Each structure stands twice: as C-alpha cells, then as structure tokens.
Amino acid sequence: MVQTATLPGPAGNSKLEKKPVKFSNLLLGAGLNMFEVTTLGQPLEVVKTTMAAHRGDGFGSALGRVWSRGGVLGFYQGLIPWAWIEASTKGAVLLFVASEAEYYARSFGAGDFTAGISGGITGGVAQAYATMGFCTCMKTVEITKHKQAAAGVKPQSTFATFMDIYRKEGIAGINKGVNAVAIRQMTNWGSRFGLSRLAEGWIRSATGKKDGEKLSAGEKILASGLGGGLSAWNQPIEVIRVEMQSKKEDPNRPKKMTVGNTFKYIYGNNGIKGLYRGVAPRIGLGVWQTICMVAIGDIAKQYVEALTGDKVSAKH
C-alpha cells in the first residue's frame, strides 16, 4: 500500500498532502499514450520530423515525401517498437517524477505556477535520460534513412539498424541527441505544466470559479491546449534534436555534433525559418495529445477504476 505524507503548507496553517502514485494512474497514462501515438500521434510525429530534417520542404511536399516511402504505412515509420516503448514508459516516468518534484516545490512555499514548472522541468529531464533518448534516436533513424531505398536496396530491419549503430558507436550512438531531447522535454513540460496552470487561473477568473474548484471538460481541454500550443516556442530545440539524430549524408555537417554547433549549422543553412520548420504539425500533435489526455482520459478513468478497483487521481 502506498502511503501519503503531509507537511505544513506555505502559510503554516494548512496541510500539504503528498499524493501517492498509484498503479491505476500509471496504467491510465501508459494506455492513453499508446492510444495517442498509434492513432494520429505517430503520423504527426513523422511529418514534423520530416520537415525538420528536410527544411526546404513545405507541409504539402513533406506529406508527399512521407507518402512516397510506403503510402499510409510511411506515416507510421518508427511506431513499432520505438514509439510504443516510448509511449508506454514516458508517461509513468513523467507522472512519478513530476509529482514528487511538484510536491517538494510546494513544501518550500512555491505557488501553483512555480510548482507546475518545477515538476514539468524535472519530469521532462527524467523522461529524456530514462526512456526517450534512444527511442527518439531510433524513430528519427527510421524516418530519415532513405538512402538504401532510393538506391533500390531493401532497407535494414529495425533491429538490424539498432545493432549496426550499437556496433559502430556504442551506447553514445544509440543515445545521440539525448541532451537536445532533455532540453526539449525540460522546456516543453516546464512551460506546458506552468502555462496550463496559468490558463486554469485565467479561466477560473473569467468564469467566477474559486481556487480548487473543478473545471469542466471543455475548460480543461482549453487550458491544456493553450499550454501545449504555447509550448511550441521551443521548436528550434526539436529541429536541432532531429538534425543530430538524422542519418542523412552531408559533408558540410559538423563531424561531432553538439547542440551548439548543430544550431549554427541549421541557422547558417536555413536561417530562422529553418529553426521553426515543422512547428505546425507539432502544434497539431499538442492538440491531439490534449484531446487524448483530457477528453478521452476522463472516459478512460471510469474503465480503469472498474478494472483495478482503485480510484484514479491523475491530473490531465
């Protein structure tokens, strides 16, 4: 049984409760992430990555490029097993670490906005280094490796590609770009959690709701959507991440790629527009994630509670 802990609140006259991370929460998070990525999530991810890797492409030409790699199946490159592994684990890591970090931030007197950012940043970094580094790397490899297919050679299987990278570059090769992933996740979840909390406050003020009063499903979707959409400000980090993990051939690329020299390479070749390439499908991805985690999440809660007999307390 998971126990809760209480500490004096910031004002000293109320108790701050540490909510337990329940199995039902982890099951719900994993299930919703799996549903999200298997439906629209991976196609949007593929288009976003394609645009970030081929920065001369517009949205339409990126769709054509993806379609040429296998029709509808081209939009699901990297889904199995990498996107599924990432989806089934990252939610659990984020929920557990962000919950702990937000609790301790509140115990030191932080408000909703600051505690939300603290939880998001810490959870995002944990996600990157624990599960997302090698998953995003292998997804990007799957999406951007086209040299063999263009030459008429049957591309390597997913695991053959994985082992080939491991033999040549070791763990570092499998986790290539993980520092950029960590920066992206840190800024992404920090701003998403913080801005969503801020938006919730605006909505409560506009509707006359008191602090702590529940928002409707539509209001939660609006708050989360604003947080997710505005979090796309860090798209340059995502483009840098894709470039670092891409397997495309270019003699002008830095031999040993870091976040700094990759930024210079992209900016020098494509300017500021290149750094924001793929931002539209990323915003679309944020909207779909919000719908899955909030609207569909509320329905899924009922089924998880019936299945486990445990009340789900996860925040979406």
Side-chain angles (χ1 to χ4, degrees), residues 127-200:
Q127 267 189 334
Y129 289 108
T131 65
M132 290 187 68
F134 75 93
C135 287
T136 57
C137 182
M138 293 310 301
K139 281 195 300 178
T140 304
V141 167
E142 288 287 300
I143 294 166
T144 60
K145 65 169 188 178
H146 54 85
K147 188 176 180 182
Q148 289 176 310
V153 179
K154 185 178 179 180
Q156 288 180 310
S157 70
T158 294
F159 286 104
T161 303
F162 180 90
M163 292 308 300
D164 189 44
I165 295 172
Y166 180 75
R167 281 192 296 268
K168 290 178 180 178
E169 304 175 59
I171 294 296
I174 296 298
N175 279 283
K176 187 177 291 182
V178 69
N179 291 333
V181 175
I183 295 170
R184 186 197 74 176
Q185 291 303 100
M186 177 177 71
T187 53
N188 186 42
W189 284 111
S191 56
R192 179 174 287 191
F193 275 32
L195 291 169
S196 294
R197 297 287 189 273
L198 200 59
E200 286 174 6

Side-chain angles (χ1 to χ4, degrees), residues 212-227:
E213 190 174 345
K214 285 188 176 181
L215 300 179
S216 68
E219 289 168 340
K220 285 191 288 185
I221 290 174
L222 177 60
S224 299
L226 284 170

